[in-house]
Amino acid sequence: MLRRLSIRNVVLIDKLDLDFRDGLSVLTGETGAGKSILLDSLGLALGARADSGLVRHGTDKCSVTATFTLPAGHPVYGLLAEQDIEVEDDELVVRRVVTSDGRSRAYVNDQSVSVGLLRDVGNYCVEIQGQFDQHGLLDPTTHRATLDAHGNLGSLALAVRDQWRAWRDTQKELTAATNRINKAREEEEWLRHAVDELEKLGPEEGEEERLAEERQFLMHGEKLVAALNDAESELSRGKGAESALRSAQRHLERELQKAEGRFEPIIEALDRAAIELEEASRAISVTLADLNVDTGQQENVEERLFALRAAARKYNVPVDGLNGLMKDYRSQIDQLEFGEKELSRLTAAVAEHRAAFIDAAQKLHGARKAAAETLDTAINAELPPLRMEKARFVTDIAELEENEWGIDGIDRIQFMVATNPGSPAGPLNKIASGGELSRFLLALKVVLARVSAVPSLVFDEVDSGVGGATAAAIGERLHLLAEERQILVITHSPQVAARGRTHFNIAKSENDGSMVTRVNELVDGARREEIARMLAGHSITAEARAAADSLLDQPR
């Protein structure tokens, strides 16, 4: 529960340290004294939106620190463990600092954290119910979550969400696959024609470059043959170059002994030249034999090259891409057969997930029906003590049409009330008045507190719009609720204030030329005077003091 709240430089509050006890704590004060500032400060420490306007004029920053003691096994410990935040002696300290330029920092046990984590921690520790939050009851979209929380239906609701997502995701897959297959079917005839055409053409990787080179060569074939013939003729003119080399070699060899080694280099050079000449002559003969300057071959090469390039232009790919394109088109055709099987599989999966969702949703529907009965019974039991003996609270659960099903199941849930005997139940916003809404809200909070893990509840003027016996009844219910939870209530009702175990007074005064808000704990006579003021106004009479004594004599 909340043990201490320390506020520094928040609007009209320069320095404030409040210690809270368990049970019911009440905060009173005149309008404009700063009660809302106190709530804004607590909200800031719990992760509410930061605003530079909260920083007290003349200072560079404000801060709020809230200290809690929580029982072992409280859910917040698991959340903190995930963030490697240690808690010693079951004490949890949250702090928020806001600078004058609007920037803020958040801390949990002196460890810097995100505001999102601070908010999650705060939701586990305190629930603040403002005087206008009762209108949340008027929004039916909040009723489902309220009922599920009361019935502890979290696991069933989670199963429904999981099955809904599985169903929807599989349905999306089926839709995408169907669209893909339908498109392929529309193009199937063209794809088959293209594959047939490309298969007949039979393109090969690198074929264009090879054909282009061959075409270039064939275009100059006749000139090349003539050059080779001329070269061969020159080498064989007369006795031939090779014969001349060998003849010269023989002349030198006959006189080799007499030359005393001078002819050996010459003879070796002539021998090498003869060998090279022989190889050149052989190469000329081989090349002449290999050359095919048939004009028909050139035409064939050009026809093949032009056919490949025409196909490349038609399919808007490079010539070397034709083979890959043909394989891709074949794959798309093959996908049609595979796609039919995939459609069958996805269709079966959609039906399976739909059935699983309906099964989970029906189980949740039944559990919600049972939870609604217990909720209605519990809330209706709280209404007579709140001076609403003739009122009736009903949780209406209606099954939705399939096109309205969603992640939360198949139910439309709405809290209904009937404030007069014999009248049909209707929506809260059309039946209940402002004061009645406050009491319905309180009854609901009393019931939900029995299953909530949140140890501290804050009510801001839950008694708004009521007085007299009704205000006394609200005080009684808050007193009973405080036996199970720590309750802080801001009130203008003396009947409620008198029920508090602890009483704080919020007042505004001038200090060194500026206005400041102070909060003081009232005891004994000071408390009696405050309640008398709430009863009588500024002029406190003896009768008001006597009435205050009577209220304070009630159990607290």
Side-chain angles (χ1 to χ4, degrees):
M1 63 185 65
L2 178 63
R3 285 304 184 192
R4 186 176 181 86
L5 184 66
S6 298
I7 304 172
R8 298 291 184 271
N9 297 321
V10 177
V11 193
L12 297 180
I13 300 175
D14 54 356
K15 179 180 180 180
L16 178 63
D17 295 295
L18 288 179
D19 292 312
F20 296 96
R21 293 184 282 276
D22 56 2
L24 176 61
S25 295
V26 298
L27 297 96
T28 64
E30 295 184 359
T31 300
K35 297 186 291 296
S36 62
I37 300 175
L38 199 63
L39 279 186
D40 289 343
S41 299
L42 177 58
L44 191 65
L46 300 175
R49 179 177 173 274
D51 187 341
S52 61
L54 293 173
V55 181
R56 180 173 170 80
H57 180 69
T59 63
D60 59 355
K61 65 181 178 180
C62 68
S63 67
V64 183
T65 303
T67 303
F68 299 89
T69 54
L70 301 170
H74 190 276
V76 78
Y77 292 135
L79 176 64
L80 296 176
E82 293 176 359
Q83 306 296 323
D84 295 325
I85 298 176
E86 296 182 358
V87 178
E88 297 181 359
D89 301 324
D90 296 332
E91 185 173 88
L92 175 66
V93 180
V94 298
R95 181 163 62 96
R96 187 82 173 279
V97 179
V98 180
T99 59
S100 57
D101 60 4
R103 291 179 297 175
S104 76
R105 299 187 301 276
Y107 303 88
V108 175
N109 284 2
D110 288 329
Q111 182 169 324
S112 180
V113 300
S114 68
V115 174
L117 178 61
L118 182 68
R119 188 180 303 113
D120 290 340
V121 171
N123 289 337
Y124 277 113
C125 298
V126 179
E127 181 178 341
I128 299 177
Q129 185 67 53
Q131 60 175 311
F132 300 109
D133 290 345
Q134 60 185 333
H135 297 298
L137 279 174
L138 305 183
D139 183 1
T141 61
T142 67
H143 298 173
R144 182 190 298 110
T146 301
L147 177 62
D148 288 351
H150 168 72
N152 194 24
L153 307 180
S155 59
L156 288 175
L158 181 60
V160 168
R161 292 189 186 99
D162 289 344
Q163 293 299 342
W164 170 263
R165 291 191 182 102
W167 179 21
R168 292 293 94 186
D169 290 347
T170 309
Q171 182 63 59
K172 288 179 183 177
E173 286 186 55
L174 176 59
T175 301
T178 300
N179 292 337
R180 188 170 60 251
I181 295 301
N182 287 340
K183 182 179 179 182
R185 284 175 182 152
E186 293 173 0
E187 298 177 351
E188 181 179 6
E189 183 178 350
W190 184 87
L191 287 171
R192 291 190 182 278
H193 168 76
V195 168
D196 182 63
E197 184 177 60
L198 290 171
E199 284 179 342
K200 289 178 180 177
L201 183 62
E204 298 176 0
E205 297 291 337
E207 188 177 7
E208 180 186 26
E209 183 178 358
R210 179 176 57 81
L211 289 172
E213 291 176 354
E214 186 176 359
R215 175 174 177 263
Q216 187 71 18
F217 177 78
L218 290 172
M219 288 173 64
H220 302 289
E222 292 182 0
K223 291 182 179 180
L224 297 175
V225 169
L228 288 169
N229 285 328
D230 290 344
E232 186 178 42
S233 176
E234 290 293 330
L235 291 175
S236 62
R237 181 180 299 174
K239 293 181 180 180
E242 184 179 359
S243 176
L245 287 170
R246 292 301 181 188
S247 178
Q249 185 179 2
R250 284 193 299 273
H251 284 300
L252 293 174
E253 285 175 347
R254 283 196 294 265
E255 304 299 332
L256 180 63
Q257 296 299 325
K258 299 175 184 178
E260 297 181 352
R262 290 181 177 85
F263 286 177
E264 288 180 359
I266 301 172
I267 292 170
E268 289 175 1
L270 289 171
D271 185 54
R272 290 196 302 272
I275 293 171
E276 293 290 337
L277 183 59
E278 182 183 357
E279 290 182 357
S281 296
R282 188 182 302 112
I284 289 173
S285 298
V286 170
T287 304
L288 278 169
D290 289 342
L291 276 176
N292 183 357
V293 292
D294 182 5
T295 55
Q297 173 65 12
Q298 181 179 341
E299 290 176 358
N300 291 338
V301 170
E302 290 181 342
E303 182 179 349
R304 175 67 177 171
L305 180 61
F306 296 158
L308 289 171
R309 289 176 173 173
R313 288 193 298 272
K314 178 178 179 180
Y315 294 107
N316 196 29
V317 293
V319 172
D320 280 348
L322 287 171
N323 189 269
L325 183 67
M326 178 175 63
K327 293 177 180 178
D328 180 57
Y329 286 171
R330 282 180 186 151
S331 176
Q332 291 187 46
I333 293 172
D334 292 340
Q335 284 292 322
L336 284 172
E337 295 181 6
F338 172 77
E340 296 295 343
K341 295 178 181 178
E342 181 69 0
L343 287 181
S344 297
R345 183 191 70 79
L346 287 173
T347 300
V350 167
E352 181 180 342
H353 287 306
R354 178 181 182 277
F357 168 77
I358 292 174
D359 180 64
Q362 288 290 355
K363 289 178 181 177
L364 179 59
H365 174 75
R368 283 170 170 166
K369 283 280 190 182
E373 291 182 9
T374 60
L375 179 65
D376 294 350
T377 299
I379 291 179
N380 286 321
E382 294 293 332
L383 296 180
L386 293 173
R387 315 291 292 182
M388 298 180 73
E389 300 87 347
K390 299 178 181 180
R392 181 167 50 93
F393 181 91
V394 179
T395 302
D396 181 67
I397 301 178
E399 288 195 49
L400 298 168
E401 296 294 330
E402 182 168 345
N403 62 352
E404 297 180 286
W405 292 354
I407 197 169
D408 293 311
I410 60 174
D411 303 315
R412 177 185 291 112
I413 298 172
Q414 187 171 12
F415 294 152
M416 314 280 280
V417 296
T419 55
N420 297 306
S423 61
L428 281 171
N429 60 336
K430 295 183 179 179
I431 302 298
S433 64
E436 290 169 334
L437 277 174
S438 296
R439 283 175 282 170
F440 276 120
L441 171 64
L442 180 57
L444 189 59
K445 290 296 180 182
V446 170
V447 172
L448 293 178
R450 296 167 187 160
V451 297
S452 173
V454 178
S456 303
L457 299 178
V458 179
F459 290 95
D460 180 15
E461 299 186 19
V462 69
D463 51 1
S464 175
V466 299
T470 301
I474 291 176
E476 171 66 16
R477 301 322 290 166
L478 289 171
H479 170 70
L480 293 176
L481 182 58
E483 295 178 358
E484 303 178 44
R485 295 285 185 273
Q486 180 189 43
I487 305 298
L488 280 68
V489 58
I490 293 176
T491 181
H492 286 293
S493 169
Q495 293 89 343
V496 174
R499 284 289 189 173
R501 179 180 179 183
T502 308
H503 190 154
F504 296 97
N505 175 250
I506 305 172
K508 185 167 61 175
S509 61
E510 186 174 347
N511 181 35
D512 294 333
S514 61
M515 299 302 295
V516 295
T517 292
R518 302 290 186 211
V519 181
N520 298 303
E521 183 176 354
L522 303 180
V523 295
D524 301 332
R527 185 176 189 190
R528 175 194 183 212
E529 286 297 297
E530 172 65 6
I531 293 177
R533 180 197 65 77
M534 296 173 73
L535 286 165
H538 291 290
S539 299
I540 302 176
T541 63
E543 291 79 4
R545 292 189 175 93
D549 288 335
S550 177
L551 290 175
L552 289 169
D553 284 341
Q554 300 175 91
R556 296 193 299 274

